[in-house]
Amino acid sequence: MRSRDLAAKLPSTGRRLSFQWKIAAAITFVIAVASITLSTVMHQTFSHNQEDAARAAADRNLQLVLQDETGSMRALFRATTDGLDVPEELRQAVAGGKRATYLVNSGDQPFVWAAADVNTQVVAIRVPYTAQRESIASVDRTLRNATIAVIAAGAVLGVLLGLAMSYRLRSAARAARKVSTGANIRVRSVTWSLFDDEITELADAVDAMSDALRGQLDAEKRVTANIAHDLRTPISGLVGAAELLPPGRPTELVRDGVHKLRRLAEDVIEVARLDTTSEQADIQSVELAPVVHHAISTTGVECEVRVHGTPVSHTDARRLERIIANLILNARNHGKPPINVDVDHSRVTVRDRGSGFTEEWLRQGPKRFQTDCVERGPNSGLGLGLTIVVGQAAVIGARINFSNHPNGGAVVTIDLPECPPDEFA
């Protein structure tokens, strides 16, 4: 049976962002912030170093001018003594016999000024700052390109790391879904890693939970099978004793109760046999129409049968009869007439006109020994009929699909293995 027909679906919030992209975005953001911060610090440090070196060089040249008595240094450094071009801020800074430097970094010709107040006369020189500004611009370009490259590399690294973690988590989720359908698989085996981490810890926890649940289910199956087998002998005695009672209404009630009890025990035994996965189907090429008619006759339920052509299938006729009979009895007990049985090629469809399956039941599928949301609603039996249907379908390789008809009623579809054209004559 297809697992998607019965697997429960978790509610979705509508908007979904993959874990892979969350990790990639987080790593890229951290690397971008670190790279930009480092680039800014390096820019500030290099700029200050260039400015400090330029100021120191201008101040040394100014001292040479002040110490020169011949005037050659004044001519060499083009020193000015009138103070007409000296920035006002520098003038104020050197007032009172002080010495200072001043950076003019605007315009096409940046300069570093150095000035001193000598006997109320401002002596100043200026040194070009163009080379330093070009060096700073070159370093900025290098830092910008390096930052872009580091962020791009970080984004690629984030995507790869996110992809690896996402792949492991998705593999674990797929393995967990297989475990939920009864597959014997270890989640830890699909979450490979050189070192143990939170994902392997989660996988170990899921495997431990799976082992515990499987142990409980196995114990439940053993208890159920043992009880059913132990009841078979006393129930057979009750059936024989009921047949010996004198005719009358009380005798009919006793016989009906005993026969229901025997059918229940037989159903439980059949479920126990199907749980062992040791059942082997007697697969043959069979014509479906006689099998369907015989299954309907055993139930005593009136059905509308429609057969298209002469359909054949590669299946076990006895087990198929059991499946169809259970579906018809389920439609009679929990639906409303008319009950339609449609046979087309290798597909058999049973439909009634009742209220249909509940949404919760369609999500969960048939479960034994449950009386709520099972087989069309509360207090509707032990859930063995459709459980047997699913189990027998798995034995013969058929697929079962449960749904509701748009016009009302439950619809159960059996897809049987097709028979090769030259195999059935």
Side-chain angles (χ1 to χ4, degrees), residues 88 131 136 415:
E88 184 62 30
I136 294 173
D415 288 314

Side-chain angles (χ1 to χ4, degrees), residues 133-154:
R133 190 164 72 173
E134 290 177 353
S135 297
I136 294 173
S138 177
V139 170
D140 287 344
R141 287 192 297 270
T142 302
L143 290 175
R144 181 175 62 252
N145 295 335
T147 300
I148 294 174
V150 170
I151 293 175

